[in-house]
Amino acid sequence: WTASSLSVVVLGASGDLAKKKIFPALFSLYYEGLLPENFQVFGYARSKMTDAEFRDMITSTLTCRVNARERCAEAQERFLKRCFYQAGPYDEPGGFQALSTRLGEQEAVKPRANRMFFLSIPPNVFLSATGNAADHARSKSGWTRVIVEKPFGRDSASSAELGRGLAQHLAEDEIYRIDHYLGKELIENLTVLRFSNRVFEPLWSRQYIRNVQIIFSENFGTEGRGGYFDQYGIIRDVIQNHLLQIVALFAMEQPVSLDAEDIRNEKVKVLRSMKVVAPEDVVMGQYRARGKLPGYLDDKTVPEGSLTPTFAAIAMFINNHRWDGVPFLFKAGKALHKRYAEIRVQFRHVPGNLYRDKQGADPDAACNELVIRIQPKEAIYLKINNKVPGLGLRLEQTRLDLQYQQQYQVELPDAYERLLLDVVNGDKRLFIRYDELQAAWDLYTPVLHELERSQAAPELYPYGSRGPLGAHYLAARHNVRWGDLA
Ligand code: BG6
């Protein structure tokens, strides 16, 4: 590190993602002393701005996780001095050449100057910007790494085209495809939970697990972001990527080692063992107005009469020895009653009926369930049957409960912090390999095309509700009850 410097260039520097996530994450890493001593941040975007204006723009977003106000303010000042801005177009080399010259001025002090680009820009300029950055602003003395974030196309074909386009300018080991869900604490913990605990691993199969539910719920709608959202819909926005990635980690076989390639080999394998989603496996919903809360179609950025789903429930299956017949049910929606994301693992009934008459009328209520709450209030708990204390013999379900806040009393790092640090360190474990991305698209492309071709209408659900009834019917068809509604 002492022989190298690091430049981080954020393309699309005035966008929402950059302001809300990227600059704050870079600042946190700086604050924690995790960036090389010689580093600089460059914002790049079309609009004209001076360095001072750029610093003003990002100041309000920089916060310190630890409670040390004075130190924080001081660190912010030092950080801002290393922040610069370059205006320029995405689709012409000129701006990138100018950027490269400016980067060079700051880098001159070190023999090895590494450059990292974060692309937070719209899909229509994605390829040209990457090409220009790679061809005109790549590092001459150190590594160049480019972080790209979805949308990676809209289906298998467009994703492959994008992949080919990127490959003309960058080697695969220079490309870091982010799925920010992989940077979340509880997702990274998934493999630890599974592979380092003797009590879980033996149960992790169709023999003991009845179904797995991956639930994503947001209590806000598109709120002005409809222009982007409407072209993708909830399946492409969160299910085909974030939720499917969770299943891949959940269901893969034990990797040979913790190396990025070993882990990703297993993820690709399990994705390729999954049944391609069919229209009958999908229920779509769209939120409508309720009282003062606007419906999806009331969002001015949404095209009139749009059929884009803001909710979907999907049943997936893995056709392999371990998981044959176990439903993996996804449920994801916007404008629902609460914001949370969780994994629910429902176990089979205990054979025999020793306690059946002590357990109440509903045998399902006595099944074990492991819940991994990804956010908020991160937690892992296991529902077990327990004797109600006292002289009688009555059973009830209770929890073995690990609540992160109580147990660890630390604020968890944001996903982008972890992921950006991994890029600095060249660690690809949490990034999506090209074949993995294609395998994920192959599972969803036929159904997405079919739903669009048939103009299938989503079921309407009121803003703030628990989503359309269809989700229950879908679950019931597979003999499942949604655990979050119990
Ligand atoms: C993004 C989606 O990838 O993830 C958004 O595009 C969604 O629509 C967001 O709101 C959710 O991320 P998080 O980390 O807030 O759960």
Side-chain angles (χ1 to χ4, degrees):
W1 270 19
T2 46
S4 60
S5 66
L6 173 68
S7 298
V8 183
V9 180
V10 181
L11 304 186
S14 40
D16 242 23
L17 179 70
K19 281 197 278 197
K20 285 196 187 134
K21 296 289 184 185
I22 310 307
F23 297 120
L26 288 169
F27 173 62
S28 285
L29 293 175
Y30 170 74
Y31 186 78
E32 303 284 328
L34 295 169
L35 295 178
E37 207 178 294
N38 248 277
F39 96 97
Q40 56 175 336
V41 175
F42 259 83
Y44 184 100
R46 280 181 286 223
S47 39
K48 292 231 170 350
M49 232 190 295
T50 61
D51 288 343
E53 284 164 342
F54 173 59
R55 288 170 187 164
D56 278 351
M57 181 187 86
I58 64 174
T59 306
S60 62
T61 67
L62 308 179
T63 49
C64 291
R65 228 184 303 128
V66 288
N67 205 359
R69 282 241 185 93
E70 268 169 40
R71 249 184 76 205
C72 182
E74 221 178 274
Q76 276 182 6
E77 251 175 63
R78 276 185 278 120
F79 178 80
L80 288 169
K81 281 194 187 131
R82 292 154 180 259
C83 294
F84 307 91
Y85 183 79
Q86 175 71 36
Y90 295 120
D91 51 1
E92 286 166 28
F96 289 89
Q97 286 157 346
L99 170 73
S100 190
T101 309
R102 286 190 72 195
L103 289 173
E105 286 161 11
Q106 311 281 336
E107 291 167 347
V109 285
K110 294 286 170 188
R112 196 160 354 104
N114 299 321
R115 293 184 180 177
M116 181 167 140
F117 293 84
F118 191 103
L119 267 65
S120 174
I121 49 177
N124 59 332
V125 286
F126 199 80
L127 259 189
S128 51
T130 319
N132 282 323
D135 297 349
H136 302 286
R138 75 161 47 244
S139 164
K140 296 191 180 65
S141 56
W143 49 250
T144 299
R145 293 178 184 152
V146 178
I147 308 165
V148 292
E149 173 130 32
K150 72 159 208 294
F152 303 118
R154 305 188 77 252
D155 54 16
S156 298
S158 50
S159 169
E161 193 184 321
L162 192 64
R164 282 192 297 272
L166 287 179
Q168 286 177 359
H169 303 277
L170 294 161
E172 173 69 15
D173 70 350
E174 293 178 321
I175 304 173
Y176 287 71
R177 291 179 199 84
I178 274 201
D179 183 308
H180 81 282
Y181 263 62
L182 295 184
K184 292 190 188 268
E185 184 65 40
L186 278 267
I187 302 299
E188 225 203 330
N189 189 51
L190 251 185
T191 38
V192 175
L193 191 71
R194 256 188 90 180
F195 297 122
S196 76
N197 288 297
R198 193 70 182 100
V199 292
F200 290 128
E201 208 339 270
L203 303 182
W204 224 253
S205 75
R206 63 191 300 274
Q207 218 182 330
Y208 299 101
I209 292 179
R210 195 173 160 194
N211 67 75
V212 182
Q213 308 175 9
I214 323 278
I215 301 167
F216 166 99
S217 165
E218 277 183 342
N219 56 356
F220 46 88
T222 46
E223 270 120 60
R225 217 173 133 249
Y228 153 80
F229 187 86
D230 199 73
Q231 291 178 41
Y232 293 91
I234 196 78
I235 299 177
R236 291 184 177 94
D237 192 45
V238 300
I239 298 182
Q240 178 270 354
N241 34 58
H242 304 328
L243 305 198
L244 190 59
Q245 280 295 319
I246 294 175
V247 167
L249 285 174
F250 181 96
M252 70 181 184
E253 295 302 309
Q254 179 165 331
V256 176
S257 77
L258 291 177
D259 275 4
E261 294 318 315
D262 287 334
I263 294 175
R264 296 184 302 173
N265 286 344
E266 293 308 330
K267 284 171 71 192
V268 173
K269 222 164 80 189
V270 76
L271 288 172
R272 293 187 46 215
S273 308
M274 292 181 90
K275 172 177 168 276
V276 174
V277 180
E280 62 271 20
D281 301 326
V282 180
V283 168
M284 296 191 297
Q286 188 185 80
Y287 65 92
R288 62 168 172 79
R290 193 179 64 168
K292 286 206 177 101
L293 299 166
Y296 179 64
L297 296 180
D298 299 326
D299 184 331
K300 298 260 180 319
T301 54
V302 169
E304 212 173 302
S306 166
L307 295 174
T308 300
T310 59
F311 174 101
I314 298 183
M316 291 197 78
F317 291 89
I318 305 176
N319 298 326
N320 67 12
H321 205 82
R322 185 185 286 274
W323 296 114
D324 188 36
V326 177
F328 284 78
L329 291 187
F330 297 96
K331 184 166 68 167
K334 296 204 170 266
L336 295 171
H337 70 302
K338 256 191 351 204
R339 175 175 180 262
Y340 60 99
E342 56 193 26
I343 307 169
R344 289 182 170 262
V345 188
Q346 295 188 342
F347 290 88
R348 293 189 184 281
H349 293 110
V350 175
N353 62 359
L354 195 55
Y355 291 108
R356 204 145 280 178
D357 63 337
K358 317 280 184 207
Q359 259 168 338
D362 181 2
D364 272 358
C367 282
N368 295 122
E369 186 172 32
L370 176 68
V371 180
I372 299 170
R373 194 181 317 115
I374 302 163
Q375 65 191 30
K377 298 203 175 108
E378 292 79 358
I380 301 173
Y381 58 88
L382 178 64
K383 291 199 199 165
I384 59 162
N385 296 305
N386 207 47
K387 180 180 164 304
V388 178
L391 297 178
L393 178 54
R394 196 161 57 80
L395 270 59
E396 69 170 10
Q397 274 222 322
T398 186
R399 292 176 179 188
L400 291 177
D401 201 353
L402 168 61
Q403 297 287 330
Y404 270 54
Q405 206 45 51
Q406 273 167 25
Q407 183 69 25
Y408 296 106
Q409 291 162 8
V410 290
E411 207 177 306
L412 300 175
D414 186 76
Y416 282 93
E417 270 174 62
R418 188 188 314 276
L419 295 170
L420 291 174
L421 182 62
D422 284 352
V423 180
V424 175
N425 293 329
D427 184 344
K428 283 211 151 182
R429 269 180 299 178
L430 302 179
F431 294 83
I432 316 290
R433 205 165 64 185
Y434 181 63
D435 53 348
E436 208 183 324
L437 175 65
Q438 288 309 105
W441 272 126
D442 290 348
L443 291 169
Y444 277 91
T445 295
V447 75
L448 286 165
H449 285 179
E450 176 54 24
L451 293 172
E452 278 153 11
R453 192 200 56 75
S454 64
Q455 297 263 298
E459 195 178 323
L460 298 179
Y461 61 96
Y463 196 127
S465 68
R466 289 163 182 259
L469 265 184
H472 296 277
Y473 297 132
L474 177 80
R477 265 202 344 254
H478 297 288
N479 213 358
V480 176
R481 264 194 248 178
W482 292 106
D484 61 329
L485 303 180

